[in-house]
Amino acid sequence: MALSVGKEELQGITENFVEKLFTKGIFDGVSVALAEDVIGFSPSIHRFCYGRWDVKHFLQDEYERLAPCGISQINSLCFNTVENVSIEVHVTVSSMKLRKLIMLSITVMYKKVLEGYIVVGINIALDSDHRTYKEITPPDMDQYGYFSAYDNFTGLLNREAFCSRTTDMLADYPHKNFDILRINIERFKVINEVFGEVQGDKLLKYLGNFLKSIDLKLYLAGRLYADNFVVCFESADGEAERLMRTLQVVANSFEINHHTMLTFGLYKIEDKTIPVNKMIERANIALNQVKGNHRISHCVYEEKMWDRMLMEQKIMNALDSALENKEFLLMLQPKYELENETVIGSEALVRWINKDGRSISPGVFVPIFEKNGSIYELDKFMWESVCQQIRTWLNEGKEVKPVSVNVSRIDLYDPDLVDVLNSIVNKYDIPKRLFELEITESAYIGDPHMIISVIDNLRREGFCILMDDFGSGYSSLNMLKDIYIDILKIDMGFLQRTDRTGRGNNILSAVVRMAEQLNLPTIVEGVETKEQVDLLKSIGCNWVQGFYFSQPITVEAFAETM
Ligand code: C2E
Ligand code: CA
Ligand code: CA
């Protein structure tokens, strides 16, 4: 059925059609005149359809994608040739569902037939000249129940809405590039604990308000949970850096007696086909590279981080079964008296030989287990293995020398650590002098008060404490006056690596001399060469450990030295 009207009337009919379609979802008028082979086309959502039936559905879907909605502006243009008339309607639709203003340009193409005009095509496009993603907040919004798109607390988009809006935005601008930036408040837990949750809440709102106020054309902001914010914006030279800098300035301006540091993870969207949730995850992987790092506050996602994360995940997940399958092996590296090269004790080092016989280096898996705290399980296993071994030797009547075990800085956070160690030692009835504890110097740098008090408690219980990796941070010379330990363990390797000019040797001898004055015995580890041995002799070192004397060896091999 054709519209039996004159050319002049088409413009009014078309405007009327568009208005009714978007306000009421009714599409009479024009739709009665759809040609059999009419086409519908919506480039912004990549939709193309053909035939009366499909085009009607297409119109229905367009309405439902936005509804309920209102129209705030409508005008149209008419283009015509002898045969055809095209009416282009520009309309501003406020969509309650999407909570945004959308400018659309709808073109209805008519063809002249005997009885009047029939519709041969309908094109619905985003009106690129006027598009905006600015939020609208009509006062009667709750009646539609669409508040669920918002995080009630900050008024930013919640995760779900952020993802769907971002998906829309990326689809609407296939030729533009976008960035996703995750923002996190460093040590937010501490702010809550020290300044109270009221202050913590205020800070979240403060940042939320700022994120809402950012005036970029293509920009969306959301809060995922707690102190995790996310924004998506059009990539531009220096934009991300500018945004991060500004946000940090804003955080600094929050009135609280604490330096509020933000950390950022940036994902530059390369592959627009992956779900936005995954993009957010990638930004998070980048963020995790700098979380807890006090010097660097942002990181840009790279593909290799994803691979590394998968590898780490695999290792983390494998711990339980590896413990169960006895894949961890206790190795001992002998320690020597330098003077006459007799064995004075050993250090317990873990080895992981997995099912297929491959060994994984502790340098790889220890830091991974430290990340999620599971190192504690492994350490307890090692401590027990060592005590068990010492008990066996004692029962065999062997003369046992002290064995030191590694205590990760993560273990120090367990308030029951002293009890745990006591109960293992007691279970096997081991004299405490035979079971020494190595605690790495870096633990001290991270949290000096905590480590001083833990070390005091352990020493009060009779445990012998070795400070491991001493010298890795030069601030450590200072700490000797604050902390009471039993033996200083100096790493030869990094003293040399960090200094090729010979200054390392001077530092080494200065440390040894200083320790002497403090009546603090020292052991130098990582001794590899004859030259190093000579140097150590010349500066009056007594104890050593390193490949020059022995690699870490099996318990059986070690027993032969006894
Ligand atoms: P660490 O505690 O400083 O242990 C000394 C590391 O240096 C060992 O590496 C040892 O094999 C290696 N080493 C010994 N002599 C030499 C030498 O002359 N030259 C060089 N270049 N290296 C030498 P390993 O066994 O690979 O362990 C690496 C790190 O993993 C350890 O450093 C320690 O931090 C950690 N680790 C090892 N076993 C355990 C454990 O049971 N628990 C915990 N928490 N950490 C462990
Ligand atoms: Ca050690
Ligand atoms: Ca060490």
Side-chain angles (χ1 to χ4, degrees):
M1 199 168 92
L3 292 170
S4 41
V5 294
K7 197 187 282 180
E8 325 65 54
E9 286 169 72
L10 286 177
Q11 200 162 347
I13 286 174
T14 312
E15 271 193 24
N16 196 16
F17 156 72
V18 168
E19 193 173 334
K20 273 193 174 159
L21 172 64
F22 285 105
T23 52
K24 302 201 174 72
I26 298 171
F27 40 101
D28 56 2
V30 166
S31 54
V32 300
L34 297 182
E36 189 113 31
D37 54 356
V38 59
I39 59 171
F41 192 38
S42 175
S44 61
I45 56 166
H46 306 286
R47 185 156 173 185
F48 172 79
C49 58
Y50 176 81
R52 249 183 226 148
W53 169 260
D54 283 347
V55 169
K56 280 192 181 177
H57 269 271
F58 160 68
L59 294 173
Q60 180 77 39
D61 290 350
E62 277 294 302
Y63 165 71
E64 280 173 4
R65 202 164 68 86
L66 310 175
C69 30
I71 284 185
S72 51
Q73 216 181 14
I74 187 161
N75 54 62
S76 60
L77 297 165
C78 177
F79 304 91
N80 61 69
T81 60
V82 182
E83 275 270 272
N84 301 316
V85 178
S86 276
I87 310 292
E88 194 180 293
V89 182
H90 293 270
V91 59
T92 304
V93 180
S94 53
S95 161
M96 304 300 172
K97 184 183 263 164
L98 303 183
R99 263 208 167 207
K100 60 189 178 190
L101 286 179
I102 298 173
M103 278 83 165
L104 293 171
S105 138
I106 296 141
T107 310
V108 179
M109 286 153 270
Y110 296 92
K111 183 174 164 188
K112 178 102 185 72
V113 289
L114 270 181
E115 313 89 299
Y117 286 92
I118 55 167
V119 178
V120 291
I122 300 179
N123 180 54
I124 302 183
L126 282 170
D127 199 338
S128 58
D129 296 339
H130 309 287
R131 262 183 298 171
T132 170
Y133 281 83
K134 287 268 142 49
E135 299 300 316
I136 49 163
T137 45
D140 56 348
M141 206 62 156
D142 347 69
Q143 82 186 63
Y144 299 104
Y146 288 115
F147 264 120
S148 57
Y150 285 81
D151 158 34
N152 286 334
F153 189 67
T154 58
L156 294 169
L157 295 170
N158 61 28
R159 178 190 281 269
E160 212 184 346
F162 178 84
C163 289
S164 83
R165 305 273 169 91
T166 303
T167 309
D168 282 357
M169 184 162 77
L170 300 182
D172 289 348
Y173 294 93
H175 301 300
K176 287 192 189 289
N177 294 321
F178 290 89
D179 291 354
I180 284 191
L181 180 69
R182 275 189 73 140
I183 303 147
N184 183 268
I185 303 169
E186 190 77 354
R187 285 155 54 102
F188 182 60
K189 225 177 107 224
V190 175
I191 297 179
N192 272 329
E193 278 163 13
V194 176
F195 300 95
E197 285 178 11
V198 175
Q199 283 297 321
D201 286 356
K202 269 194 197 161
L203 175 59
L204 291 179
K205 286 190 174 147
Y206 191 69
L207 282 178
N209 279 338
F210 180 78
L211 287 171
K212 268 188 293 188
S213 75
I214 289 176
D215 196 20
L216 291 171
K217 186 166 166 238
L218 300 177
Y219 168 85
L220 291 167
R223 184 171 76 119
L224 301 170
Y225 60 92
D227 58 325
N228 287 280
F229 297 91
V230 62
V231 294
C232 179
F233 52 93
E234 189 185 352
S235 314
D237 219 15
E239 191 75 274
E241 290 71 21
R242 211 159 29 241
L243 194 58
M244 290 189 270
R245 246 194 334 266
T246 315
L247 276 163
Q248 184 56 60
V249 170
V250 170
N252 292 347
S253 71
F254 183 67
E255 283 188 25
I256 180 178
N257 194 10
H258 170 83
H259 175 60
T260 308
M261 181 169 162
L262 301 181
T263 40
F264 304 94
L266 184 69
Y267 174 59
K268 296 185 158 299
I269 301 174
E270 280 156 17
D271 179 358
K272 285 192 183 172
T273 62
I274 62 172
V276 173
N277 237 329
K278 294 260 183 272
M279 298 180 182
I280 295 177
E281 227 173 82
R282 289 179 181 200
N284 194 38
I285 291 169
L287 178 71
N288 282 333
Q289 314 288 317
V290 290
K291 238 188 200 166
N293 180 328
H294 301 289
R295 278 162 303 169
I296 307 169
S297 68
H298 75 274
C299 173
V300 183
Y301 174 83
E302 289 169 39
E303 209 55 40
K304 63 175 191 237
M305 291 175 190
W306 180 260
D307 299 338
R308 192 161 63 213
M309 191 204 64
L310 290 184
M311 187 271 288
E312 290 187 357
Q313 212 88 54
K314 240 167 86 186
I315 288 185
M316 277 179 195
N317 294 340
L319 176 64
D320 287 344
S321 68
L323 278 169
E324 217 162 87
N325 303 337
K326 307 211 174 336
E327 292 175 22
F328 293 109
L329 192 68
L330 165 65
M331 300 283 273
L332 295 170
Q333 187 178 31
K335 299 172 182 174
Y336 297 82
E337 174 103 52
L338 185 55
E339 180 96 354
N340 47 19
E341 298 196 7
T342 52
V343 175
I344 51 138
S346 62
E347 174 180 6
L349 293 161
V350 64
R351 290 291 172 268
W352 184 355
I353 319 284
N354 68 11
K355 290 185 293 293
D356 35 321
R358 273 186 316 125
S359 90
I360 310 170
S361 156
V364 172
F365 65 79
V366 167
I368 295 173
F369 292 151
E370 284 183 334
K371 269 193 191 166
N372 71 347
S374 57
I375 188 68
Y376 196 28
E377 291 313 304
L378 179 59
D379 280 346
K380 283 191 277 195
F381 166 81
M382 288 294 286
W383 304 338
E384 179 137 13
S385 305
V386 166
C387 287
Q388 215 167 13
Q389 189 56 55
I390 295 177
R391 174 48 41 210
T392 307
W393 284 332
L394 289 173
N395 288 350
E396 290 169 359
K398 290 209 154 83
E399 192 200 329
V400 182
K401 307 270 169 48
V403 183
S404 60
V405 296
N406 286 287
V407 178
S408 162
R409 65 196 161 79
I410 306 300
D411 307 341
L412 305 175
Y413 285 95
D414 178 21
D416 297 331
L417 177 66
V418 177
D419 294 343
V420 168
L421 284 163
N422 267 330
S423 78
I424 294 177
V425 170
N426 292 338
K427 179 173 169 191
Y428 295 93
D429 191 20
I430 305 297
K432 283 199 174 126
R433 63 170 187 86
L434 294 183
F435 184 75
E436 301 174 337
L437 307 176
E438 296 197 6
I439 297 178
T440 177
E441 176 215 72
S442 62
Y444 173 86
I445 294 167
D447 199 343
H449 299 297
M450 188 272 289
I451 196 179
I452 287 175
S453 93
V454 176
I455 288 181
D456 283 349
N457 288 341
L458 288 168
R459 290 185 80 235
R460 209 171 299 129
E461 289 292 313
F463 288 102
C464 168
I465 308 293
L466 283 77
M467 171 127 305
D468 200 359
D469 307 323
F470 186 82
S472 53
Y474 285 169
S475 63
S476 47
L477 279 174
N478 246 338
M479 78 198 236
L480 287 181
K481 64 180 183 358
D482 303 327
I483 199 163
Y484 293 96
I485 49 158
D486 300 284
I487 297 171
L488 196 60
K489 202 167 180 192
I490 306 165
D491 191 316
M492 177 112 216
F494 59 70
L495 278 177
Q496 297 231 317
R497 267 195 305 278
T498 51
D499 193 309
R500 295 182 182 282
T501 61
R503 243 184 70 210
N505 295 345
N506 295 336
I507 293 171
L508 188 63
S509 64
V511 171
V512 173
R513 255 181 289 126
M514 186 166 157
E516 237 168 43
Q517 281 165 16
L518 295 168
N519 283 329
L520 192 57
T522 49
I523 174 163
V524 178
E525 65 174 328
V527 181
E528 288 179 346
T529 63
K530 175 84 173 58
E531 291 76 60
Q532 291 173 340
V533 173
D534 293 342
L535 170 76
L536 292 172
K537 279 187 174 156
S538 74
I539 60 176
C541 233
N542 340 349
W543 297 335
V544 286
Q545 176 187 345
F547 293 167
Y548 180 79
F549 302 97
S550 169
Q551 296 262 341
I553 50 178
T554 61
V555 168
E556 294 72 30
F558 185 83
E560 285 172 17
T561 70
M562 295 170 88

